Amino acid sequence: MSGTDEERGGAVERRDGGEEQGGGVDGVPVAGGGVPEGGGGVLGAAELFDGVGIDYERAFGRLPAQLAAVEWLNERLSPGSRVLDAGSGTGRPVAALLDAAGHAVTGVDVSGTMVELARAQVPGARFVQADLREHVPPAGGYDAVCAFFPLLMMERKEQIAVLRRMASWLVPGGLLVSATVPADIEGIEITWMGRRARVSSFSAEAYLGVLREECGLEVLHHELSVFRPEVPGGEPEEHLFCYARRGTAAEA
């Protein structure tokens, strides 16, 4: 699930009682490795990522497409730019790379455990425990927003609302670099890293449409990639990375 505020081996029990083989549910891969723990209810994002902790970084901390996206962003931002890391997790690699490049970084994550880890690992950035649906940006907004997989545990209508909010936080000409797991699903229950979660997502085409039509952003680049989490038994999963830009008044 790679990163929701926060963010999957083997057959996975579906909510309808059937099974999907090969590590996926309706096209959503279930990586994270090992044999999933049995039982347990469906967890919210905060509880799930409090439990996953540093294991998330070990599994998903070296996504080549994510590292390339941050490098692309750093090449276009001036030092001291205000950047939001939405769903900042442990602070690595995204906030750490942005901080090292000299930006004023704010990380927002719903998990208290993740925020504590991020504060310890990236002391030069500011981290806040909050839900992106309620986050209040600073006066003047952000020069850029990174949103790598923070929305998957929200319903689709909530994802659209949060994407619109993040787009509105950008200064004119500001950049949104985002990623999701492309899949046409709503409210599917999966087992991820031994924990039950409910996820929703959009197909790649629909996600790009949300960025363009709902958020009013110009999509500069998008690409699909496949990543295998660095844990025993981790199954490959498909990711969609998008680079987008808010227009300026002169372009309106």
Side-chain angles (χ1 to χ4, degrees):
M1 180 167 52
S2 232
T4 69
D5 231 342
E6 341 298 352
E7 312 194 305
R8 272 169 220 259
V12 178
E13 182 182 352
R14 295 178 51 154
R15 60 178 178 172
D16 61 9
E19 286 187 346
E20 288 284 340
Q21 300 294 329
V25 178
D26 290 349
V28 178
V30 181
V35 178
E37 298 171 5
V42 175
L43 303 178
E47 187 178 7
L48 187 150
F49 282 92
D50 281 346
V52 170
I54 197 67
D55 287 342
Y56 180 78
E57 181 181 322
R58 293 168 180 155
F60 295 98
R62 287 181 289 276
L63 279 71
Q66 183 181 53
L67 298 175
V70 176
E71 181 179 5
W72 179 91
L73 188 62
N74 277 331
E75 289 174 350
R76 287 157 178 79
L77 294 175
S78 301
S81 294
R82 294 162 298 177
V83 185
L84 173 68
D85 184 6
S88 47
T90 68
R92 298 195 303 208
V94 177
L97 292 171
L98 294 167
D99 176 62
H103 303 307
V105 182
T106 298
V108 175
D109 202 286
V110 74
S111 164
T113 295
M114 291 296 192
V115 169
E116 291 177 4
L117 287 167
R119 287 171 177 168
Q121 297 193 135
V122 193
R126 173 177 175 264
F127 294 94
V128 179
Q129 182 181 359
D131 192 308
L132 288 171
R133 290 165 287 198
E134 301 171 356
H135 175 63
V136 178
Y142 297 105
D143 298 296
V145 173
C146 294
F148 297 119
F149 312 101
L151 308 179
L152 291 168
M153 293 181 68
M154 299 180 189
E155 296 178 359
R156 283 177 168 177
K157 64 181 180 181
E158 295 174 316
Q159 294 185 32
I160 293 172
V162 173
L163 285 167
R164 292 182 66 178
R165 295 189 78 219
M166 290 192 292
S168 74
W169 299 340
L170 292 170
V171 301
L175 299 169
L176 171 66
V177 181
S178 66
T180 188
V181 175
D184 185 13
I185 56 171
E186 177 79 53
I188 295 294
E189 291 182 15
I190 65 170
T191 296
W192 176 71
M193 296 187 75
R195 295 161 176 83
R196 300 295 293 174
R198 181 174 290 109
V199 298
S200 300
S201 191
F202 297 92
S203 68
E205 182 179 1
Y207 184 82
L208 293 170
V210 170
L211 294 181
R212 292 174 176 134
E213 299 162 19
E214 297 286 344
C215 302
L217 298 175
E218 176 189 5
V219 177
L220 305 174
H221 171 77
H222 67 277
E223 66 179 75
L224 291 168
S225 61
V226 176
F227 178 76
R228 183 186 294 272
E230 297 184 20
V231 291
E235 294 290 336
E237 62 183 54
E238 188 174 44
H239 297 157
L240 172 66
F241 281 80
C242 300
Y243 308 169
R245 176 179 174 271
R246 181 179 180 180
T248 63
E251 297 168 336

